[in-house]
Amino acid sequence: MNVPGTRTRLRTAAALALLLLAPTACGSGGPEGTAANAQASPADDPVAAVRTVESIAALLPADVRKAGTLRVGSSIGSPPAAYYPDGADKPPAGQDIDIADAVAKVLGVKLERQDASFETILPALSSGKYDFGTGNFGVTRERLKTIDFVTYINDGQGFAVKKGSTVLASKVTDLTQLCGLTIGTGAGTTFETTLIAQKGVCAKAGRKPYHVKVYSENGATLTALQQGRIDVIMSTINGLRHQAAQPASQTTFLGEYHRLDVGFAFKKGSPLTKAFQAAVNELIDNGTYARILKKWGTSASAIERSRINPPEHAPEHA
């Protein structure tokens, strides 16, 4: 979705996006800690040493092994998950990119990565357009009705405001804290779903409703915050923590709201899930997984074991 405005606004959005994509300091630390500095560079490549594990590759369907390729619908958004460090005509980078590439190497297949907008990937899985999808997809009860997941990290929902803003003085533990504010978030995300589903909480509390504005690009959401068109951003914990560590963003991370398992997404009943689960667990066991998360500053979101279709986490603030 394009953001209405002048050419100046568009240039501002582009400039902010470019500054935030620079792989300088990736978010890390404890659940409410500040971001640590994690320098990501081409020389820092924990995926390079990964080799095929035949016993795990054998879990793939015979036709997939014969073809030797898998099509992945990949949402390239912002660091640390997936972004373009050198422009859209160059290969993407990020935590999701490294984990997917490492899994493919364990399975002995090549990935045919197709860029797609976040909100289009899950519906396209059932049609067979992609074999699987990546995009920091959180595991929710609603998605589990139509999608299979193989988990690889624990991320979730959080909030951020413009640096110096006083609209929210503390961590958001209840959506009634948002009453009367305008929240910007991503199209087709769990954030949009949560905000729309809970929109009635303000009326029940006898307060003015909050308003939701949806954007297709992270840079547009950030520009809207800086220009005062929204009061707060709801997005991924790791993404907002990383963003707040960039001086150019001028944002303050307000902490975690709801943790969610994040996984590779497949059409329901996909024969690929067991092979992917075994591959992720192999990466955990051989240390590659920990090195990838350290590279991108997301070690606090590590999982102990990959799971297929785990139940959605209950909200911590419930």
Side-chain angles (χ1 to χ4, degrees), residues 175-176 178-183 198-204 206-212 231:
L175 293 185
T176 56
L178 303 175
C179 295
L181 302 179
T182 300
I183 305 102
Q198 298 297 318
K199 210 167 184 181
V201 298
C202 294
K204 289 179 182 178
R207 302 177 63 183
K208 291 182 179 179
Y210 58 71
H211 302 282
V212 181
D231 301 300

Side-chain angles (χ1 to χ4, degrees), residues 22-294:
T24 52
C26 300
S28 185
E32 302 305 327
T34 56
N37 288 331
Q39 298 298 326
S41 68
D44 183 13
D45 187 6
V47 181
V50 178
R51 298 291 180 265
T52 302
V53 179
E54 290 298 334
S55 60
I56 297 176
L59 297 174
L60 288 171
D63 60 334
V64 173
R65 294 207 70 187
K66 183 177 180 180
T69 59
L70 286 170
R71 294 160 299 158
V72 51
S74 187
S75 173
I76 310 298
S78 57
Y83 71 112
Y84 287 111
D86 302 308
D89 59 336
K90 302 292 183 182
Q95 162 200 279
D96 286 7
I97 304 299
D98 281 353
I99 294 176
D101 286 349
V103 163
K105 292 185 78 170
V106 171
L107 296 174
V109 297
K110 300 287 186 182
L111 295 184
E112 292 181 358
R113 185 170 278 112
Q114 300 177 32
D115 291 2
S117 59
F118 179 91
E119 64 271 23
T120 65
I121 293 175
L122 297 186
L125 292 172
S126 60
S127 70
K129 184 175 182 179
Y130 312 120
D131 295 306
F132 71 103
T134 63
N136 212 72
F137 290 110
V139 180
T140 67
R141 284 182 291 275
E142 192 62 30
R143 285 175 175 169
L144 284 169
K145 294 176 183 178
T146 57
I147 299 293
D148 281 340
F149 288 96
V150 173
T151 61
Y152 61 85
I153 201 165
N154 181 260
D155 197 345
Q157 305 172 333
F159 292 92
V161 294
K162 185 176 179 179
K163 205 162 194 175
S165 171
T166 58
V167 295
L168 286 169
S170 62
K171 173 182 175 180
V172 176
T173 58
D174 190 303
L175 293 185
T176 56
Q177 293 170 250
L178 303 175
C179 295
L181 302 179
T182 300
I183 305 102
T185 195
T189 61
T190 62
F191 322 115
E192 181 187 12
T193 300
T194 297
L195 291 168
I196 297 301
Q198 298 297 318
K199 210 167 184 181
V201 298
C202 294
K204 289 179 182 178
R207 302 177 63 183
K208 291 182 179 179
Y210 58 71
H211 302 282
V212 181
K213 288 190 176 181
V214 178
Y215 301 89
S216 292
E217 295 180 357
N218 182 64
T221 312
L222 180 60
T223 301
L225 181 71
Q226 301 295 11
Q227 295 180 347
R229 287 180 280 123
I230 60 175
D231 301 300
V232 58
I233 293 174
M234 187 179 189
S235 190
T236 66
I237 293 167
N238 287 335
L240 291 177
R241 183 177 282 134
H242 173 277
Q243 187 177 78
Q246 314 305 311
S249 77
Q250 290 294 297
T251 62
T252 298
F253 175 56
L254 294 181
E256 302 173 8
Y257 175 70
H258 179 26
R259 278 273 174 179
L260 286 172
D261 285 314
V262 169
F264 297 112
F266 304 82
K267 69 178 181 181
K268 207 68 181 171
S270 171
L272 300 174
T273 55
K274 289 185 178 180
F276 269 69
Q277 180 192 32
V280 174
N281 284 332
E282 167 65 17
L283 297 173
I284 292 172
D285 291 341
N286 69 25
T288 301
Y289 177 78
R291 289 191 290 274
I292 290 172
L293 268 57
K294 182 179 180 181

